[in-house]
Amino acid sequence: MKVNLNRNKYGSISPEAGAVFLAAIFFLAALPAFSQESGVVLNNKAELKDGGKPYGAVEYTGTALPWFAAPLGDKAGLFLSGGISAWYSGEEWKPLPEIRRFEVTYDPRPGLRVEIGRLPFGENSSAMEGLFDGVSFRLNAGGGRFRGGVFYTGLLYKKAAYIVMSPEDRAGYEDGETYFASRRIAASVNWEHTGIFNTRGAFSAGGAAQFDLNGGGALFHSQYLEAGVKVPLIGRTRAGFGGAAELAEETGKSLRAAFALSAEFHRPLLPALQDRFSLAGWFSSGRWNGRLGPFTPLTVRTRGKVLQSESSSVALLEAAYTARLHPRFAADLYGAYYFRTDTVTFRHPGIDRSSASPLVGGEVYGGFTWAPFSDVLISAGGGVFLPRTGKAFLGGAAPVYRAVLEAGISF
């Protein structure tokens, strides 16, 4: 078999090369090690979307996720996981190899951990969240926890990373022949302190920066400051508030600022059901003038469950209820209403470009999760977005449907 390792402008790679790379990784993982553990997770996901391209499509992904873990002496450890998928979309099957997580940890002293490899980073961050290639640290000090790292994104699979900060990024992301994500360097540090005011509350603050390495005529660099607080309120109600500020530098354009705000309230209603009712909101700035523009995170986090809008220039109000009706069965119900904070950034083929209304529309979604055995999980859900509940879509825009069926088993 001839393996093609040549990359195009955005960094494409052949499936054969990815498969060889995965095989080599897991061959090394199979070498003798002390107290090693390993397993495989099989996951099947079928998704139906309707309502106009790209929502009128059926997609299926079947994935085998092998993993391996082992200590490396008394102070270090190794964890490997990958994915080999068969992906069906547009009446075509495609192989999809991916390194999910490749991590070496080292604990030089109590309270300090150093991690190298492909690592999860940025949990609950508005600026960057997901797996990244690089080095990070965790430090417990001063009654709080520090976490920081430096990463490179150009070897990540583009659909998993979801980095679309510029038109060039968008072109690479939508190119069917491209495998790798946009090439960027990112750095971040954050601090979290729990037990504030002698309660179960927590406070966090941090900063991040990313630098465009793609070359070409237009580069997009950005820096972020973030802060958040979680506090208990009256009774069993808990609340969380967060904010992020961005400073963006784009070739040929003036320096601009952007911001995003979030809030969440949740509480149990019927403790016997182990339930939770929650209300949440998200607001991000739009393209308002030359100095204040859309909030553009390094990694996109979609909002909602049916329309699944990108988070730039969007506001969203959400309500959700989840209940465990049986020890192995849970159900949930969700509703949301979308707003757009400018008239040019929001993306959907049914948008009326002549409308200045911020009202996009509402959606409802429901689903269940069933775990018949400890190593088997089945979930299903479906919902509809109704463009006629807003004023931003064309008059004849059809409802957007989404249905998902997923089953996983671990060995």
Side-chain angles (χ1 to χ4, degrees), residues 168 215-219 251-252:
E168 290 76 16
L219 300 178
T251 301

PDB file of all heavy atoms in Angstrom, residues 168 215-219 251-252:
ATOM      1  N   GLU A 168     -10.637  31.930   5.441  1.00  0.00           N
ATOM      2  CA  GLU A 168      -9.734  30.846   5.039  1.00  0.00           C
ATOM      3  C   GLU A 168     -10.000  29.590   5.864  1.00  0.00           C
ATOM      4  O   GLU A 168      -9.977  28.463   5.334  1.00  0.00           O
ATOM      5  CB  GLU A 168      -8.286  31.295   5.198  1.00  0.00           C
ATOM      6  CG  GLU A 168      -7.819  32.351   4.194  1.00  0.00           C
ATOM      7  CD  GLU A 168      -8.349  33.744   4.501  1.00  0.00           C
ATOM      8  OE1 GLU A 168      -8.830  33.977   5.632  1.00  0.00           O
ATOM      9  OE2 GLU A 168      -8.299  34.600   3.594  1.00  0.00           O
ATOM     10  N   GLY A 215      -0.524  31.553   7.210  1.00  0.00           N
ATOM     11  CA  GLY A 215       0.092  32.269   6.114  1.00  0.00           C
ATOM     12  C   GLY A 215      -0.960  32.886   5.210  1.00  0.00           C
ATOM     13  O   GLY A 215      -2.135  32.977   5.542  1.00  0.00           O
ATOM     14  N   GLY A 216      -0.560  33.288   4.021  1.00  0.00           N
ATOM     15  CA  GLY A 216      -1.507  33.916   3.117  1.00  0.00           C
ATOM     16  C   GLY A 216      -1.665  35.391   3.423  1.00  0.00           C
ATOM     17  O   GLY A 216      -0.951  35.976   4.232  1.00  0.00           O
ATOM     18  N   GLY A 217      -2.664  36.000   2.792  1.00  0.00           N
ATOM     19  CA  GLY A 217      -2.827  37.439   2.902  1.00  0.00           C
ATOM     20  C   GLY A 217      -3.527  37.916   4.145  1.00  0.00           C
ATOM     21  O   GLY A 217      -3.305  39.045   4.587  1.00  0.00           O
ATOM     22  N   ALA A 218      -4.420  37.110   4.743  1.00  0.00           N
ATOM     23  CA  ALA A 218      -5.225  37.564   5.880  1.00  0.00           C
ATOM     24  C   ALA A 218      -4.965  36.675   7.089  1.00  0.00           C
ATOM     25  O   ALA A 218      -5.178  35.463   7.030  1.00  0.00           O
ATOM     26  CB  ALA A 218      -6.707  37.541   5.503  1.00  0.00           C
ATOM     27  N   LEU A 219      -4.501  37.282   8.176  1.00  0.00           N
ATOM     28  CA  LEU A 219      -4.273  36.561   9.424  1.00  0.00           C
ATOM     29  C   LEU A 219      -5.233  37.077  10.488  1.00  0.00           C
ATOM     30  O   LEU A 219      -5.616  38.246  10.484  1.00  0.00           O
ATOM     31  CB  LEU A 219      -2.833  36.743   9.897  1.00  0.00           C
ATOM     32  CG  LEU A 219      -1.734  36.252   8.955  1.00  0.00           C
ATOM     33  CD1 LEU A 219      -0.356  36.554   9.546  1.00  0.00           C
ATOM     34  CD2 LEU A 219      -1.878  34.762   8.681  1.00  0.00           C
ATOM     35  N   THR A 251      -5.713  41.105   9.600  1.00  0.00           N
ATOM     36  CA  THR A 251      -4.932  41.795   8.578  1.00  0.00           C
ATOM     37  C   THR A 251      -5.811  42.733   7.761  1.00  0.00           C
ATOM     38  O   THR A 251      -6.877  42.342   7.272  1.00  0.00           O
ATOM     39  CB  THR A 251      -4.270  40.770   7.647  1.00  0.00           C
ATOM     40  OG1 THR A 251      -3.436  39.906   8.416  1.00  0.00           O
ATOM     41  CG2 THR A 251      -3.425  41.465   6.592  1.00  0.00           C
ATOM     42  N   GLY A 252      -5.378  43.970   7.635  1.00  0.00           N
ATOM     43  CA  GLY A 252      -6.097  44.936   6.827  1.00  0.00           C
ATOM     44  C   GLY A 252      -7.275  45.593   7.511  1.00  0.00           C
ATOM     45  O   GLY A 252      -7.974  46.408   6.896  1.00  0.00           O
TER      46      GLY A 252
END
